[in-house]
Amino acid sequence: MNPYQQGQSGYPQQQYYHSIGFSNTAPQSFGNPMPMPGMPTMGYPSAPGGAPGYPQVSQGYPPQSSGYPTQQTNQGYPRPNTAQGYPTQGYPQAAQTGYPQSAQTGYPKAPQTGYPPAQTGYPTAQTGYPAAQTGYPTAQTGYSQQPQSGYPQANQSYPQGNQYQGYSSHNQSPIHSQQAYGVSASVPQTPKSKPTVVPVNPFDPREDAATLRKAMKGFGTDEKSIIHVLSRRTNEQRLRIAFEFKTLYGKDLVSDLKSETSGKFEDLLVALMTPLPQFYAKELHDAIAGIGTDEDVLIEVMCTMSNHEINVIKQAYTAIYGNLLEDDLRGDTSGNFKRLMTSLSMGNRSEDFHVDQEKAREDARSLLQAGELRLGTDESVFNAVLCSRSFPQLMAIFQEYQFLTGHDIDDAIKAEFSGDMEKALRAIVKIVRNKPLFFAERLHKSMKGLGTNDRQLIRVMVTRCEIDLGDISDMFQSKYGESLQSWIEGDCSGHYKKCLLGLLGLY
């Protein structure tokens, strides 16, 4: 794993990564949506210091450490300190003023009355810690028994949660993964997803910056070197390269790339150099700005993101455009689709891995009564269930619905809804069951027929290459009988095609 990623594994925002849903190794740029001073296009304040996100923390501790002596001196501790030879530290005198007295009054009695029973009690705990008297060697035997007694129970309590991940039948990764936890043993039964772009290790951003500078300096451009560098680095590493590029040469890397390239190749490189939260925010803004709305973009982004990702995208959206994403979505959509987008923009979906089978049966009955068993449709019930339940729970609900009615929930949605609402609800069902297959269909749609939807193609390739593009390519092959590589080669050309193949790991 990239050392920069290891540096962030303990950062508070990593607690959301276990449920991210689109990330095998969660894109680190999601941890820093706001641009730092002096870096308007990058979200990495930690590039000079090394570990992302820590410079601000390290700057905050010195005032605290300098504040402790003043507290000690205000409480009258300097005299015991000077008497004991500790003129600048506060803890020793505290131990001499309060603790000795308690040690003289309470502690002598405590060992005589309480500790002997503790000695007789440890041997009785031989079932868990058989030889606590001998020390560390027996601690090894005790720990070996704990996983056998405790962890199997945990595994037995989650069989349905692991069963309803949505990807298990296709060997795909669900909304969480082992590497996203930071601890590989969190969900051992979950298969890993297959990214096509992984962090380069060892990674030297200054050397990469020098390579890019050489490729664009003078007459002509070495596009091959640019592709080899940018298509084989993660989003975080590309941003670090841009930071070093500006440090070494005083020029903006994105501006240089724009001046040296053109067309779809330029669009792809700019997308690669954009922090993911800002990239998603721009895609959503462009989808609802101007005349008309690109509902497919709204569905693709809002229905596939986890709570943490939606909240980070909302922050980036407000920082860039000065408006709330929720307000802009509500202003540009209408009807049931507007309510669905509003619910999704809250980023409040349950992310509990445990499956409540009884609750799943109740929700399945509610969906049946709100749709097929009544005249008309109660859209609010579908909205509430599909926007608030966790993905494993939704999988259980869909199976219960199949058991109750004898047909699939997707058929019921097609019969009860139409237009954008139907597409959005069916997208949620597809994402719950097999997210890579959903994106494989998006890629196929972007290239089939006359012309190419390059923006959609770029968006999926750039955002999924670090997550599950390998799985998406496998799903593409299994569903359409042709490889994703062959479609890209037949539908694109030039350096644009080579860079897309580079993201697939094929150039």
Side-chain angles (χ1 to χ4, degrees), residues 40-302:
T41 61
M42 298 170 58
Y44 289 92
S46 64
Y54 283 96
Q56 295 179 354
V57 177
S58 62
Q59 294 175 1
Y61 279 105
Q64 295 179 359
S65 60
S66 61
Y68 278 108
T70 58
Q71 293 178 358
Q72 301 292 343
T73 54
N74 291 336
Q75 294 178 1
Y77 288 109
R79 292 181 180 178
N81 283 335
T82 54
Q84 296 297 328
Y86 298 95
T88 60
Q89 298 182 1
Y91 289 103
Q93 79 280 59
Q96 294 175 1
T97 55
Y99 286 104
Q101 294 178 359
S102 60
Q104 294 175 2
T105 58
Y107 286 120
K109 294 181 181 180
Q112 296 175 0
T113 58
Y115 284 161
Q119 296 174 0
T120 59
Y122 278 108
T124 60
Q126 292 178 358
T127 58
Y129 298 90
Q133 299 175 354
T134 60
Y136 290 103
T138 59
Q140 298 176 357
T141 59
Y143 279 106
S144 63
Q145 294 179 358
Q146 281 186 344
Q148 297 176 0
S149 59
Y151 282 95
Q153 296 178 358
N155 291 333
Q156 294 173 3
S157 63
Y158 290 91
Q160 297 173 348
N162 291 327
Q163 178 184 1
Y164 296 121
Q165 297 303 336
Y167 296 78
S168 56
S169 60
H170 301 278
N171 292 327
Q172 307 300 331
S173 175
I175 55 174
H176 59 282
S177 62
Q178 294 181 15
Q179 293 185 10
Y181 275 93
V183 179
S184 60
S186 298
V187 185
Q189 295 84 359
T190 303
K192 295 181 180 180
S193 60
K194 293 165 56 179
T196 56
V197 176
V198 296
V200 173
N201 191 7
F203 171 55
D204 187 349
R206 293 205 168 188
E207 181 180 348
D208 290 340
T211 301
L212 293 176
R213 171 64 174 168
K214 181 179 179 182
M216 295 183 289
K217 186 178 180 181
F219 294 101
T221 305
D222 185 0
E223 290 87 355
K224 183 176 181 179
S225 297
I226 296 176
I227 295 172
H228 280 179
V229 171
L230 297 184
S231 67
R232 298 178 183 179
R233 306 292 186 270
T234 63
N235 187 257
E236 177 194 2
Q237 291 178 334
R238 294 184 210 112
L239 299 182
R240 294 190 176 279
I241 293 171
F243 186 83
E244 294 295 340
F245 191 91
K246 183 177 287 188
T247 301
L248 295 174
Y249 309 111
K251 303 181 70 176
D252 183 67
L253 177 56
V254 177
S255 299
D256 277 13
L257 290 173
K258 287 182 177 181
S259 64
E260 295 292 332
T261 59
S262 61
K264 300 304 178 184
F265 182 48
E266 175 190 344
D267 295 339
L268 178 56
L269 293 180
V270 172
L272 289 172
M273 295 305 303
T274 305
L276 281 177
Q278 297 181 21
F279 179 77
Y280 277 117
K282 186 177 186 302
E283 291 294 299
L284 290 172
H285 180 266
D286 293 348
I288 57 182
I291 301 176
T293 305
D294 191 343
E295 290 83 2
D296 286 344
V297 175
L298 303 184
I299 293 172
E300 178 186 320
V301 176
M302 300 302 296

Side-chain angles (χ1 to χ4, degrees), residues 438-458:
F438 169 79
F439 283 106
E441 294 175 352
R442 299 286 295 173
L443 288 175
H444 182 264
K445 183 179 179 181
S446 69
M447 293 183 285
K448 73 175 182 179
L450 297 177
T452 304
N453 187 343
D454 293 287
R455 186 156 192 172
Q456 182 171 308
L457 176 61
I458 291 173

Side-chain angles (χ1 to χ4, degrees), residues 3 28 159 190 257 287 303 391 466:
Q28 299 301 310
T190 303
L257 290 173
C303 293
F391 281 10
E466 297 178 46

